[in-house]
Amino acid sequence: MARQQKSDATEPSPTAIDGLGEGRHLRPGSKPAPGLYLVATPIGNMGDITYRAVEVLRAADLVACEDTRVSGKLMTRLGLDRPLSSYHEHNSERAGPELIKRLKDGAVIALISDAGTPLVSDPGYRLVKACVAEGIMVTALPGASAMLTALQLSALPNDRFLFAGFLPNKSTARRKALREVATVPATLMFYESPNRLGESLADMAAVLGPRQAAVARELTKLHEEVARGDLFTLANRYADAPPKGEVVVVVAPPGEALPLGEEDLDDRLRAAIAGGASVKDAAALVAAETGFPRRDIYARALRLSQAAPDSTP
């Protein structure tokens, strides 16, 4: 009898990996604890769904998703049949309180996005914030993420990075947003529409200069592609040839001091000012790109501005 008890105690969990411990595992027919489950779904390859994600989706009372048509196809491919409820940017104020009410009544709700990890560029954080305020249990099931996958494949520094989501649609607003992050000492990451990719890369080149970058698309799918090069080269590549599929743009952080001559510095300053930057912002951008002291670059930009009456310091 003692030997039998010892055997049961040391039997490995189906979800355990040697040396990595165990997570919460649902036994057949069991029910998860009531609460909100943030479930990552595949970004392309269906093989990237996790065992735990399938278990929770199978046991959920409700699956909240961005688009019920997209998520319905996912559930069908997984052989699952659970109620779906739409929760997205345009209905979150109405749908959120309804989900909170069901959660407070003891429901198990899984929140998923159309693809990847929920709460990345979607309104799910509002629901999480409301759950926390109400004392409702929230947990996350990690999985696929286009952002992190692109960072891994970019061959750019990944010790520090800033995910900036989607840039504005219009060039003026886009360049303003880029100037706000231009001096951040980290790799920059953006989601972008394939139809705007060429214009967006051109604005990045004008504001950020010839930094190294990577354009990752169709990640984990059959036609996965990662194009690498400086921003000017990538902007030319996609200027008249918008790609297909979801796109992530990864841009290197500001570099070390470069062996540039005075004419090169002046050209960069003129380009920044022509792109709409003030003298102060242009100097900050070029200083960040080249590693030269900001004070010296500002003095140079000021001289250029005084020689061009239309420029504003």
Side-chain angles (χ1 to χ4, degrees), residues 27-65:
R27 298 189 180 279
S30 66
K31 184 83 171 177
L36 180 67
Y37 292 76
L38 311 176
V39 182
T41 56
I43 58 176
N45 191 315
M46 283 297 297
D48 293 335
I49 191 76
T50 68
Y51 291 119
R52 188 170 167 228
V54 173
E55 287 180 336
V56 168
L57 290 175
R58 179 183 291 117
D61 296 308
L62 180 70
V63 177
C65 54

mmCIF file of all heavy atoms in Angstrom, residues 27-65:
data_model
loop_
_atom_site.group_PDB
_atom_site.id
_atom_site.type_symbol
_atom_site.label_atom_id
_atom_site.label_comp_id
_atom_site.label_asym_id
_atom_site.label_seq_id
_atom_site.Cartn_x
_atom_site.Cartn_y
_atom_site.Cartn_z
ATOM 1 N N ARG A 27 -7.969 18.241 -15.164
ATOM 2 C CA ARG A 27 -8.221 16.827 -15.392
ATOM 3 C C ARG A 27 -9.507 16.673 -16.193
ATOM 4 O O ARG A 27 -10.364 17.548 -16.168
ATOM 5 C CB ARG A 27 -8.309 16.095 -14.053
ATOM 6 C CG ARG A 27 -7.010 16.159 -13.256
ATOM 7 C CD ARG A 27 -7.037 15.251 -12.046
ATOM 8 N NE ARG A 27 -5.777 15.351 -11.318
ATOM 9 C CZ ARG A 27 -4.674 14.709 -11.659
ATOM 10 N NH1 ARG A 27 -4.685 13.919 -12.732
ATOM 11 N NH2 ARG A 27 -3.568 14.849 -10.956
ATOM 12 N N PRO A 28 -9.634 15.580 -16.943
ATOM 13 C CA PRO A 28 -10.836 15.381 -17.770
ATOM 14 C C PRO A 28 -12.110 15.587 -16.972
ATOM 15 O O PRO A 28 -12.291 15.016 -15.896
ATOM 16 C CB PRO A 28 -10.690 13.927 -18.244
ATOM 17 C CG PRO A 28 -9.212 13.688 -18.233
ATOM 18 C CD PRO A 28 -8.685 14.454 -17.051
ATOM 19 N N GLY A 29 -12.996 16.428 -17.499
ATOM 20 C CA GLY A 29 -14.273 16.669 -16.849
ATOM 21 C C GLY A 29 -14.235 17.736 -15.772
ATOM 22 O O GLY A 29 -15.277 18.110 -15.246
ATOM 23 N N SER A 30 -13.042 18.238 -15.411
ATOM 24 C CA SER A 30 -12.950 19.262 -14.370
ATOM 25 C C SER A 30 -13.173 20.644 -14.962
ATOM 26 O O SER A 30 -13.126 20.833 -16.169
ATOM 27 C CB SER A 30 -11.598 19.193 -13.668
ATOM 28 O OG SER A 30 -10.553 19.527 -14.561
ATOM 29 N N LYS A 31 -13.393 21.616 -14.095
ATOM 30 C CA LYS A 31 -13.725 22.977 -14.509
ATOM 31 C C LYS A 31 -12.695 23.947 -13.945
ATOM 32 O O LYS A 31 -12.307 23.845 -12.784
ATOM 33 C CB LYS A 31 -15.119 23.327 -13.981
ATOM 34 C CG LYS A 31 -15.651 24.670 -14.414
ATOM 35 C CD LYS A 31 -16.274 24.589 -15.788
ATOM 36 C CE LYS A 31 -16.999 25.890 -16.123
ATOM 37 N NZ LYS A 31 -17.560 25.874 -17.484
ATOM 38 N N PRO A 32 -12.219 24.904 -14.746
ATOM 39 C CA PRO A 32 -11.297 25.897 -14.198
ATOM 40 C C PRO A 32 -11.993 26.754 -13.135
ATOM 41 O O PRO A 32 -13.221 26.841 -13.094
ATOM 42 C CB PRO A 32 -10.907 26.744 -15.410
ATOM 43 C CG PRO A 32 -11.417 26.028 -16.606
ATOM 44 C CD PRO A 32 -12.533 25.155 -16.149
ATOM 45 N N ALA A 33 -11.194 27.420 -12.320
ATOM 46 C CA ALA A 33 -11.761 28.355 -11.350
ATOM 47 C C ALA A 33 -12.412 29.511 -12.101
ATOM 48 O O ALA A 33 -11.957 29.905 -13.171
ATOM 49 C CB ALA A 33 -10.660 28.870 -10.429
ATOM 50 N N PRO A 34 -13.490 30.071 -11.569
ATOM 51 C CA PRO A 34 -14.126 31.211 -12.228
ATOM 52 C C PRO A 34 -13.139 32.359 -12.400
ATOM 53 O O PRO A 34 -12.286 32.605 -11.546
ATOM 54 C CB PRO A 34 -15.250 31.592 -11.258
ATOM 55 C CG PRO A 34 -15.522 30.348 -10.476
ATOM 56 C CD PRO A 34 -14.191 29.669 -10.332
ATOM 57 N N GLY A 35 -13.253 33.074 -13.496
ATOM 58 C CA GLY A 35 -12.381 34.214 -13.722
ATOM 59 C C GLY A 35 -12.129 34.448 -15.200
ATOM 60 O O GLY A 35 -12.708 33.793 -16.074
ATOM 61 N N LEU A 36 -11.245 35.408 -15.466
ATOM 62 C CA LEU A 36 -10.899 35.793 -16.836
ATOM 63 C C LEU A 36 -9.563 35.179 -17.213
ATOM 64 O O LEU A 36 -8.565 35.360 -16.521
ATOM 65 C CB LEU A 36 -10.817 37.319 -16.946
ATOM 66 C CG LEU A 36 -10.474 37.867 -18.332
ATOM 67 C CD1 LEU A 36 -11.599 37.581 -19.330
ATOM 68 C CD2 LEU A 36 -10.203 39.376 -18.253
ATOM 69 N N TYR A 37 -9.547 34.484 -18.342
ATOM 70 C CA TYR A 37 -8.345 33.810 -18.819
ATOM 71 C C TYR A 37 -7.905 34.475 -20.138
ATOM 72 O O TYR A 37 -8.664 34.479 -21.110
ATOM 73 C CB TYR A 37 -8.610 32.318 -19.039
ATOM 74 C CG TYR A 37 -8.847 31.566 -17.754
ATOM 75 C CD1 TYR A 37 -10.062 31.659 -17.077
ATOM 76 C CD2 TYR A 37 -7.855 30.766 -17.183
ATOM 77 C CE1 TYR A 37 -10.286 30.984 -15.883
ATOM 78 C CE2 TYR A 37 -8.063 30.070 -15.993
ATOM 79 C CZ TYR A 37 -9.281 30.198 -15.354
ATOM 80 O OH TYR A 37 -9.501 29.524 -14.163
ATOM 81 N N LEU A 38 -6.714 35.045 -20.137
ATOM 82 C CA LEU A 38 -6.174 35.704 -21.328
ATOM 83 C C LEU A 38 -5.408 34.645 -22.123
ATOM 84 O O LEU A 38 -4.323 34.229 -21.729
ATOM 85 C CB LEU A 38 -5.251 36.855 -20.922
ATOM 86 C CG LEU A 38 -5.830 37.818 -19.877
ATOM 87 C CD1 LEU A 38 -4.799 38.857 -19.481
ATOM 88 C CD2 LEU A 38 -7.100 38.476 -20.398
ATOM 89 N N VAL A 39 -5.978 34.213 -23.232
ATOM 90 C CA VAL A 39 -5.481 33.047 -23.960
ATOM 91 C C VAL A 39 -4.817 33.474 -25.272
ATOM 92 O O VAL A 39 -5.473 34.055 -26.151
ATOM 93 C CB VAL A 39 -6.615 32.052 -24.253
ATOM 94 C CG1 VAL A 39 -6.070 30.822 -24.972
ATOM 95 C CG2 VAL A 39 -7.329 31.655 -22.958
ATOM 96 N N ALA A 40 -3.526 33.172 -25.418
ATOM 97 C CA ALA A 40 -2.822 33.445 -26.672
ATOM 98 C C ALA A 40 -3.188 32.385 -27.704
ATOM 99 O O ALA A 40 -3.295 31.194 -27.378
ATOM 100 C CB ALA A 40 -1.314 33.456 -26.439
ATOM 101 N N THR A 41 -3.400 32.816 -28.939
ATOM 102 C CA THR A 41 -3.745 31.904 -30.028
ATOM 103 C C THR A 41 -2.699 32.012 -31.137
ATOM 104 O O THR A 41 -1.923 32.972 -31.172
ATOM 105 C CB THR A 41 -5.141 32.235 -30.589
ATOM 106 O OG1 THR A 41 -5.171 33.611 -31.003
ATOM 107 C CG2 THR A 41 -6.212 32.003 -29.528
ATOM 108 N N PRO A 42 -2.639 31.068 -32.061
ATOM 109 C CA PRO A 42 -1.613 31.093 -33.112
ATOM 110 C C PRO A 42 -1.683 32.350 -33.976
ATOM 111 O O PRO A 42 -2.759 32.901 -34.211
ATOM 112 C CB PRO A 42 -1.928 29.840 -33.937
ATOM 113 C CG PRO A 42 -2.624 28.921 -32.985
ATOM 114 C CD PRO A 42 -3.439 29.823 -32.112
ATOM 115 N N ILE A 43 -0.519 32.791 -34.458
ATOM 116 C CA ILE A 43 -0.477 33.923 -35.386
ATOM 117 C C ILE A 43 -0.418 33.446 -36.831
ATOM 118 O O ILE A 43 -0.392 34.263 -37.757
ATOM 119 C CB ILE A 43 0.728 34.846 -35.092
ATOM 120 C CG1 ILE A 43 2.046 34.069 -35.190
ATOM 121 C CG2 ILE A 43 0.572 35.496 -33.718
ATOM 122 C CD1 ILE A 43 3.280 34.946 -34.994
ATOM 123 N N GLY A 44 -0.405 32.154 -37.032
ATOM 124 C CA GLY A 44 -0.378 31.613 -38.380
ATOM 125 C C GLY A 44 -0.372 30.103 -38.373
ATOM 126 O O GLY A 44 -1.258 29.455 -38.929
ATOM 127 N N ASN A 45 0.611 29.535 -37.720
ATOM 128 C CA ASN A 45 0.755 28.079 -37.671
ATOM 129 C C ASN A 45 -0.090 27.513 -36.537
ATOM 130 O O ASN A 45 0.136 27.814 -35.365
ATOM 131 C CB ASN A 45 2.224 27.709 -37.471
ATOM 132 C CG ASN A 45 2.494 26.231 -37.685
ATOM 133 O OD1 ASN A 45 1.754 25.385 -37.200
ATOM 134 N ND2 ASN A 45 3.548 25.927 -38.415
ATOM 135 N N MET A 46 -1.064 26.678 -36.886
ATOM 136 C CA MET A 46 -1.964 26.133 -35.871
ATOM 137 C C MET A 46 -1.249 25.263 -34.851
ATOM 138 O O MET A 46 -1.739 25.051 -33.742
ATOM 139 C CB MET A 46 -3.081 25.324 -36.546
ATOM 140 C CG MET A 46 -4.165 26.172 -37.164
ATOM 141 S SD MET A 46 -5.055 27.162 -35.947
ATOM 142 C CE MET A 46 -5.797 25.879 -34.953
ATOM 143 N N GLY A 47 -0.074 24.757 -35.213
ATOM 144 C CA GLY A 47 0.673 23.930 -34.273
ATOM 145 C C GLY A 47 1.182 24.688 -33.070
ATOM 146 O O GLY A 47 1.670 24.079 -32.107
ATOM 147 N N ASP A 48 1.061 26.023 -33.090
ATOM 148 C CA ASP A 48 1.562 26.831 -31.982
ATOM 149 C C ASP A 48 0.556 27.010 -30.854
ATOM 150 O O ASP A 48 0.853 27.684 -29.869
ATOM 151 C CB ASP A 48 2.015 28.208 -32.494
ATOM 152 C CG ASP A 48 3.229 28.127 -33.392
ATOM 153 O OD1 ASP A 48 3.990 27.153 -33.252
ATOM 154 O OD2 ASP A 48 3.423 29.024 -34.236
ATOM 155 N N ILE A 49 -0.636 26.449 -30.981
ATOM 156 C CA ILE A 49 -1.585 26.503 -29.867
ATOM 157 C C ILE A 49 -1.061 25.627 -28.739
ATOM 158 O O ILE A 49 -0.465 24.572 -28.981
ATOM 159 C CB ILE A 49 -2.998 26.030 -30.314
ATOM 160 C CG1 ILE A 49 -4.051 26.328 -29.245
ATOM 161 C CG2 ILE A 49 -2.990 24.551 -30.664
ATOM 162 C CD1 ILE A 49 -4.455 27.749 -29.175
ATOM 163 N N THR A 50 -1.238 26.045 -27.496
ATOM 164 C CA THR A 50 -0.715 25.257 -26.377
ATOM 165 C C THR A 50 -1.792 24.311 -25.850
ATOM 166 O O THR A 50 -2.999 24.522 -26.025
ATOM 167 C CB THR A 50 -0.252 26.171 -25.225
ATOM 168 O OG1 THR A 50 -1.400 26.799 -24.638
ATOM 169 C CG2 THR A 50 0.715 27.229 -25.719
ATOM 170 N N TYR A 51 -1.344 23.232 -25.178
ATOM 171 C CA TYR A 51 -2.281 22.297 -24.557
ATOM 172 C C TYR A 51 -3.193 23.026 -23.583
ATOM 173 O O TYR A 51 -4.404 22.797 -23.536
ATOM 174 C CB TYR A 51 -1.519 21.202 -23.808
ATOM 175 C CG TYR A 51 -0.773 20.246 -24.694
ATOM 176 C CD1 TYR A 51 0.616 20.131 -24.607
ATOM 177 C CD2 TYR A 51 -1.438 19.444 -25.617
ATOM 178 C CE1 TYR A 51 1.313 19.246 -25.416
ATOM 179 C CE2 TYR A 51 -0.754 18.560 -26.429
ATOM 180 C CZ TYR A 51 0.624 18.462 -26.330
ATOM 181 O OH TYR A 51 1.310 17.596 -27.123
ATOM 182 N N ARG A 52 -2.599 23.889 -22.791
ATOM 183 C CA ARG A 52 -3.370 24.587 -21.758
ATOM 184 C C ARG A 52 -4.411 25.512 -22.379
ATOM 185 O O ARG A 52 -5.524 25.641 -21.864
ATOM 186 C CB ARG A 52 -2.393 25.373 -20.879
ATOM 187 C CG ARG A 52 -3.020 26.007 -19.652
ATOM 188 C CD ARG A 52 -1.931 26.531 -18.734
ATOM 189 N NE ARG A 52 -2.469 27.404 -17.712
ATOM 190 C CZ ARG A 52 -1.973 28.582 -17.391
ATOM 191 N NH1 ARG A 52 -0.902 29.037 -18.020
ATOM 192 N NH2 ARG A 52 -2.512 29.310 -16.437
ATOM 193 N N ALA A 53 -4.055 26.166 -23.495
ATOM 194 C CA ALA A 53 -5.011 27.037 -24.171
ATOM 195 C C ALA A 53 -6.227 26.240 -24.632
ATOM 196 O O ALA A 53 -7.380 26.665 -24.441
ATOM 197 C CB ALA A 53 -4.345 27.729 -25.360
ATOM 198 N N VAL A 54 -6.004 25.076 -25.216
ATOM 199 C CA VAL A 54 -7.113 24.236 -25.685
ATOM 200 C C VAL A 54 -7.984 23.805 -24.509
ATOM 201 O O VAL A 54 -9.218 23.809 -24.584
ATOM 202 C CB VAL A 54 -6.583 23.013 -26.455
ATOM 203 C CG1 VAL A 54 -7.726 22.058 -26.797
ATOM 204 C CG2 VAL A 54 -5.865 23.451 -27.720
ATOM 205 N N GLU A 55 -7.346 23.444 -23.391
ATOM 206 C CA GLU A 55 -8.102 23.013 -22.207
ATOM 207 C C GLU A 55 -9.029 24.115 -21.716
ATOM 208 O O GLU A 55 -10.203 23.874 -21.415
ATOM 209 C CB GLU A 55 -7.129 22.626 -21.090
ATOM 210 C CG GLU A 55 -6.407 21.308 -21.317
ATOM 211 C CD GLU A 55 -5.464 21.000 -20.164
ATOM 212 O OE1 GLU A 55 -5.044 21.948 -19.473
ATOM 213 O OE2 GLU A 55 -5.162 19.822 -19.952
ATOM 214 N N VAL A 56 -8.512 25.320 -21.625
ATOM 215 C CA VAL A 56 -9.322 26.424 -21.113
ATOM 216 C C VAL A 56 -10.409 26.803 -22.108
ATOM 217 O O VAL A 56 -11.564 27.057 -21.717
ATOM 218 C CB VAL A 56 -8.430 27.631 -20.772
ATOM 219 C CG1 VAL A 56 -9.274 28.878 -20.509
ATOM 220 C CG2 VAL A 56 -7.581 27.330 -19.544
ATOM 221 N N LEU A 57 -10.090 26.847 -23.391
ATOM 222 C CA LEU A 57 -11.116 27.163 -24.393
ATOM 223 C C LEU A 57 -12.222 26.115 -24.382
ATOM 224 O O LEU A 57 -13.403 26.440 -24.539
ATOM 225 C CB LEU A 57 -10.478 27.250 -25.779
ATOM 226 C CG LEU A 57 -9.556 28.444 -26.022
ATOM 227 C CD1 LEU A 57 -8.889 28.340 -27.388
ATOM 228 C CD2 LEU A 57 -10.315 29.764 -25.913
ATOM 229 N N ARG A 58 -11.877 24.868 -24.193
ATOM 230 C CA ARG A 58 -12.873 23.793 -24.153
ATOM 231 C C ARG A 58 -13.787 23.929 -22.937
ATOM 232 O O ARG A 58 -14.983 23.616 -23.007
ATOM 233 C CB ARG A 58 -12.178 22.436 -24.127
ATOM 234 C CG ARG A 58 -13.157 21.258 -24.057
ATOM 235 C CD ARG A 58 -12.437 19.931 -23.970
ATOM 236 N NE ARG A 58 -11.754 19.619 -25.221
ATOM 237 C CZ ARG A 58 -10.433 19.485 -25.343
ATOM 238 N NH1 ARG A 58 -9.656 19.654 -24.279
ATOM 239 N NH2 ARG A 58 -9.896 19.190 -26.502
ATOM 240 N N ALA A 59 -13.230 24.407 -21.820
ATOM 241 C CA ALA A 59 -13.998 24.459 -20.569
ATOM 242 C C ALA A 59 -14.679 25.804 -20.333
ATOM 243 O O ALA A 59 -15.484 25.928 -19.409
ATOM 244 C CB ALA A 59 -13.063 24.150 -19.395
ATOM 245 N N ALA A 60 -14.381 26.806 -21.160
ATOM 246 C CA ALA A 60 -14.902 28.157 -20.915
ATOM 247 C C ALA A 60 -16.423 28.210 -21.083
ATOM 248 O O ALA A 60 -16.998 27.560 -21.957
ATOM 249 C CB ALA A 60 -14.237 29.143 -21.858
ATOM 250 N N ASP A 61 -17.062 29.008 -20.242
ATOM 251 C CA ASP A 61 -18.487 29.273 -20.407
ATOM 252 C C ASP A 61 -18.721 30.206 -21.589
ATOM 253 O O ASP A 61 -19.784 30.175 -22.216
ATOM 254 C CB ASP A 61 -19.059 29.910 -19.137
ATOM 255 C CG ASP A 61 -18.971 28.979 -17.936
ATOM 256 O OD1 ASP A 61 -19.427 27.824 -18.055
ATOM 257 O OD2 ASP A 61 -18.425 29.404 -16.902
ATOM 258 N N LEU A 62 -17.725 31.042 -21.860
ATOM 259 C CA LEU A 62 -17.838 32.023 -22.939
ATOM 260 C C LEU A 62 -16.447 32.367 -23.428
ATOM 261 O O LEU A 62 -15.504 32.474 -22.638
ATOM 262 C CB LEU A 62 -18.542 33.292 -22.426
ATOM 263 C CG LEU A 62 -18.747 34.426 -23.431
ATOM 264 C CD1 LEU A 62 -19.804 34.027 -24.470
ATOM 265 C CD2 LEU A 62 -19.159 35.704 -22.715
ATOM 266 N N VAL A 63 -16.321 32.560 -24.741
ATOM 267 C CA VAL A 63 -15.059 33.023 -25.328
ATOM 268 C C VAL A 63 -15.304 34.420 -25.897
ATOM 269 O O VAL A 63 -16.088 34.589 -26.840
ATOM 270 C CB VAL A 63 -14.560 32.073 -26.441
ATOM 271 C CG1 VAL A 63 -13.281 32.627 -27.080
ATOM 272 C CG2 VAL A 63 -14.308 30.680 -25.874
ATOM 273 N N ALA A 64 -14.652 35.423 -25.306
ATOM 274 C CA ALA A 64 -14.757 36.792 -25.791
ATOM 275 C C ALA A 64 -13.663 37.025 -26.819
ATOM 276 O O ALA A 64 -12.495 36.695 -26.586
ATOM 277 C CB ALA A 64 -14.620 37.774 -24.630
ATOM 278 N N CYS A 65 -14.025 37.603 -27.969
ATOM 279 C CA CYS A 65 -13.065 37.725 -29.065
ATOM 280 C C CYS A 65 -13.325 39.000 -29.865
ATOM 281 O O CYS A 65 -14.380 39.624 -29.750
ATOM 282 C CB CYS A 65 -13.158 36.503 -29.969
ATOM 283 S SG CYS A 65 -14.825 36.170 -30.588
#
